[in-house]
Every structure is written in structure tokens, then in C-alpha cells.
Amino acid sequence: LEMVRKLDPLLIVAGSEKGVILTTKLSHDLGLLGNPIENLDAMTLKNEMHNRLKEYGIRYIRGKVVDSIEDAIEYYDSENLNEIVIKPTYSAGSASVRICTDKEEMIESLKQMLTDSTNYYGDKENKFLIQERINGEEYIVNTVSCEGKHRVTLIWKYSKVKTSDGAIVYDSSETVNELRIGEAEMVEYAYQVADAIGIQYGPV
């Protein structure tokens, strides 16, 4: 440990989404450069990410974590929702994500998911985030940060298709090599998100 401290400043970089928790804890415990450990939930849990965006006054997606069909129905009705997305609170990609066009489809999906569903990492899930569905073109904005300054490394635009059971699979993707006005605004939004969830170092 003393030898590690003498080598400051060091940076531990997560090699995948699964490594974010360990990376943050190691950086904190060893006193190395890293992201604030108090922001760990906002960096890893989808519901907490959106709660943080709301707190910072930037666009977010309405949602609620539920562990029963009754809770989901109550939220669906109270928010006057139509199409919704169901997803694990901690996961990646489109693993165990469902798009539902109405309340009945949400109920049927949750019946199956609450009984037998795992996240991207193979962990059993018993709580899910219900969110309003935002329609439109979808992008991935990859960034890297140093001392809280963010830079774009790559942007992907992709399309997904819905399977017969409501699951989502990636259909195609392409890189974005020129920024139009809307895409430039999207990059600025990505920087705002990184600030809101406390990213100081590393890739997002």
C-alpha cells in the first residue's frame, strides 16, 4: 500500500460496466485519483442516475422502482403512462429490458420477469425500474474525463427491434462522424450528465 501511494497520481480505470463499483472503491480506499465514492449509486443504478439528473434540473426520464405488479399498476395509472420500458436497476445493454405498449403488456412482462429474470451480469433481479418510453433516434455518446473535463471519443447511432416477447435486440449501428446541430446539443447534454453524476476521471 505504501508503495502504491508513492506512485501517485495513479488512476484505476474500469474495463467494463461491472468494474465501476470495484474501481471506485479501490480508488477511494487507496487515496488515488477517481470518482467520488458518494456518487457511486448515481453512476451505477439507473433509477438513481435519473434522480440525480432531476436534482440538477436537466432532462430525465420519469420512472419508479417496483417489486410487485401492484406497485407497477399504481405507478402506471398515477402517471397516466402509455408505452413504458421495464429494465433492471443495475445492468447493461438491453439485457432483461422490455418495451410494453400498454398496461396489460406491462403486467404480463412483469409476471415473467419477477419470477425468472437476470441482469447483464447474471445476477437474479427482483426489482425493476418502470419508465415512460421516450421515442426517437437512439445514440451512444462515449466520453472520457480528466479532472472533470469531458471529451467525446466516439458516437454511435443505432436501431433496435422488439422481439415477439417484448425483448429488445440491437439491429444495426453506425458511427457519427459529423455533428449536426441536434447532435452537438446532445454532446453538451452528455457532458451535463457526466457532471451531474459526478464523473471526474475515466470513460463513460
Side-chain angles (χ1 to χ4, degrees):
L1 180 58
E2 287 305 316
M3 186 169 67
V4 168
R5 285 180 175 143
K6 288 176 184 178
L7 293 174
D8 278 352
L10 290 178
L11 178 65
I12 302 173
V13 179
S16 70
E17 181 73 23
K18 182 71 169 176
V20 171
I21 294 175
L22 179 59
T23 296
T24 305
K25 289 181 177 179
L26 281 174
S27 298
H28 177 266
D29 292 348
L30 296 174
L32 303 178
L33 297 175
N35 297 310
I37 196 166
E38 61 269 19
N39 290 1
L40 192 53
D41 283 353
M43 290 188 287
T44 56
L45 301 177
K46 297 178 187 298
N47 55 305
E48 293 300 333
M49 290 178 191
H50 287 278
N51 288 341
R52 184 64 61 87
L53 301 186
K54 181 179 180 181
E55 289 173 10
Y56 271 68
I58 60 180
R59 287 179 296 170
Y60 70 99
I61 302 176
R62 288 183 297 160
K64 181 181 180 181
V65 176
V66 301
D67 58 8
S68 71
I69 293 173
E70 292 73 23
D71 284 347
I73 292 173
E74 181 180 353
Y75 180 70
Y76 186 95
D77 290 340
S78 67
E79 293 294 315
N80 296 313
L81 297 173
N82 188 13
E83 286 187 291
I84 58 102
V85 180
I86 308 173
K87 60 181 71 171
T89 58
Y90 178 59
S91 191
S94 58
S96 293
V97 175
R98 297 287 184 273
I99 289 179
C100 304
T101 57
D102 54 36
K103 182 162 63 175
E104 287 69 30
E105 194 171 351
M106 177 190 73
I107 292 170
E108 290 304 311
S109 292
L110 277 173
K111 282 180 181 177
Q112 185 270 321
M113 295 171 76
L114 287 167
T115 303
D116 181 28
S117 188
T118 57
N119 64 19
Y120 182 81
Y121 313 111
D123 304 321
K124 181 75 174 67
E125 287 288 331
N126 53 23
K127 292 184 178 181
F128 293 91
L129 176 60
I130 305 290
Q131 288 183 316
E132 61 177 331
R133 185 182 183 192
I134 305 299
N135 289 295
E137 295 179 317
E138 295 189 46
Y139 293 81
I140 297 173
V141 180
N142 292 328
T143 64
V144 65
S145 303
C146 181
E147 296 181 341
K149 296 180 177 65
H150 317 299
R151 294 291 182 268
V152 169
T153 58
L154 191 63
I155 299 175
W156 292 91
K157 179 181 178 181
Y158 60 92
S159 63
K160 295 186 286 190
V161 294
K162 182 178 176 180
T163 65
S164 58
D165 65 349
I168 305 303
V169 294
Y170 290 89
D171 181 48
S172 64
S173 61
E174 59 183 295
T175 59
V176 176
N177 301 312
E178 293 183 16
L179 294 183
R180 297 170 296 182
I181 292 176
E183 290 160 342
E185 291 176 349
M186 179 181 64
V187 169
E188 289 302 314
Y189 175 74
Y191 291 167
Q192 291 174 351
V193 170
D195 286 338
I197 63 177
I199 300 298
Q200 294 291 310
Y201 294 96
V204 177

